[in-house]
Amino acid sequence: MSQPILVAEALSSGYGKFQVLFDVSFRVYENEILAVVGPNGSGKSTLLKTVFGLTTIYSGSVIYRGRDITRLPPYVKARIGVAYLPQTDNVFAELTVKENLLMAAYTLEESEARDRIEEVLNLYPVLKERLSYKARSLSGGERQMLALAMTLVRRPDIIMLDEPTANLAPVVARHLLKKISMLRDEMKKTIVLVEQNARAALELGDRALLMVSGRVSYEGPSESLLRDVELGKRYLGLR
Ligand code: ADP
């Protein structure tokens, strides 16, 4: 197996004094999709936010490419290749698609920005036809595609996605998940995917992390979790 790109060691975190994660450890390997699954409220979103630096961390560490990044602010993490895509409000609704992409690229030099925007538009051609549309007028699937495109403009190495398919029609959700697996297969990205649809996530993921009540209940091959009738039934509604 390849090197871990990110290692979380015994993370305990929450919101102010309200603790959500207890001793959470896991690894993310280069070029894999780690599917994070578990019941509602088990701390999946909090886990992503903790890695990105948006919660109160009581103890534990986050190591990225051998460097301790636990206490770095989110904008520094973004700059060194860690991306986090929140579930909602991940685009500027009142700006056009083009303006959103320019916003994502605003720290880059003009020619670099142009190249990278061109690159992501080739990846998501549907956005090309919508450049002058306001983000709020896009369909749910297109909006998530725009959010992904904005993330990719910054060329992250590891992308943490929080329920990108929430509220999408099943066929649109499948399409989006396919795009996400292409990021791994064709662009060699590393992905941490929080997903409500456990079966879809486990089928897509290389490895999985099962969260239950703020703790890790399983870390290992997705396939094994998919086949674990007991855990699947009890925590994931799988049959
Ligand atoms: P999941 O993603 O697995 O559904 P979350 O990480 O969203 O779980 O939530 C875990 C717990 O943290 C829940 O009890 C939730 O109410 C609480 N929580 C989530 N976000 C916040 C917040 N911003 N402030 C306080 N508590 C929060």
Side-chain angles (χ1 to χ4, degrees):
M1 196 179 277
S2 59
Q3 289 292 317
I5 181 170
L6 189 125
V7 178
E9 282 289 357
L11 279 175
S12 291
S13 69
Y15 304 93
K17 284 183 182 158
F18 181 65
Q19 183 165 359
V20 176
L21 298 188
F22 299 83
D23 263 328
V24 168
S25 300
F26 62 93
R27 284 160 183 249
V28 189
Y29 291 91
E30 199 120 27
N31 196 211
E32 75 169 352
I33 294 181
L34 176 71
V36 182
V37 295
N40 257 336
S42 58
K44 304 183 296 298
S45 294
T46 303
L47 184 151
L48 298 191
K49 286 190 230 166
T50 298
V51 170
F52 200 57
L54 298 169
T55 59
T56 313
I57 299 179
Y58 314 126
S59 57
S61 57
V62 181
I63 310 293
Y64 170 65
R65 295 196 183 283
R67 171 179 176 191
D68 189 333
I69 63 161
T70 318
R71 315 252 162 214
L72 292 183
Y75 71 89
V76 178
K77 288 177 179 166
R79 207 183 282 156
I80 61 176
V82 179
Y84 162 65
L85 198 59
Q87 189 178 343
T88 53
D89 300 323
N90 50 22
V91 299
F92 299 101
E94 295 307 319
L95 299 184
T96 65
V97 167
K98 187 172 181 192
E99 288 164 346
N100 267 282
L101 291 169
L102 287 170
M103 284 294 282
Y106 86 103
T107 55
L108 305 172
E109 216 183 285
E110 196 181 332
S111 66
E112 179 78 18
R114 209 178 314 119
D115 287 354
R116 292 200 194 183
I117 290 174
E118 183 67 31
E119 187 181 285
V120 296
L121 286 175
N122 288 334
L123 218 50
Y124 304 126
V126 64
L127 297 177
K128 244 189 217 173
E129 300 152 25
R130 305 267 189 278
L131 280 175
S132 59
Y133 288 43
K134 285 198 174 175
R136 75 170 145 74
S137 71
L138 299 178
S139 70
E142 289 166 354
R143 202 180 302 190
Q144 290 298 41
M145 217 93 82
L146 173 59
L148 257 186
M150 289 169 70
T151 301
L152 290 172
V153 162
R154 292 183 286 261
R155 293 210 179 129
D157 292 331
I158 178 165
I159 309 174
M160 302 187 290
L161 302 168
D162 194 356
E163 297 204 17
T165 69
N167 306 317
L168 297 182
V171 58
V172 182
R174 269 198 298 280
H175 180 66
L176 190 68
L177 289 176
K178 190 141 192 247
K179 292 279 183 194
I180 290 169
S181 67
M182 282 167 64
L183 295 180
R184 170 193 59 191
D185 301 337
E186 288 167 27
M187 302 189 68
K188 303 299 166 207
K189 302 288 183 195
T190 303
I191 291 166
V192 183
L193 174 69
V194 168
E195 175 60 50
Q196 42 166 8
N197 181 339
R199 181 173 297 282
L202 295 176
E203 281 171 355
L204 193 70
D206 301 288
R207 292 188 323 116
L209 195 69
L210 170 63
M211 296 293 297
V212 178
S213 307
R215 298 174 194 273
V216 176
S217 281
Y218 171 91
E219 179 184 7
S222 289
E223 232 175 66
S224 315
L225 184 54
L226 202 50
R227 282 207 228 98
D228 190 319
V229 177
E230 176 64 20
L231 283 179
K233 239 204 234 163
R234 176 147 20 133
Y235 297 118
L236 302 172
L238 301 175
R239 328 205 266 137

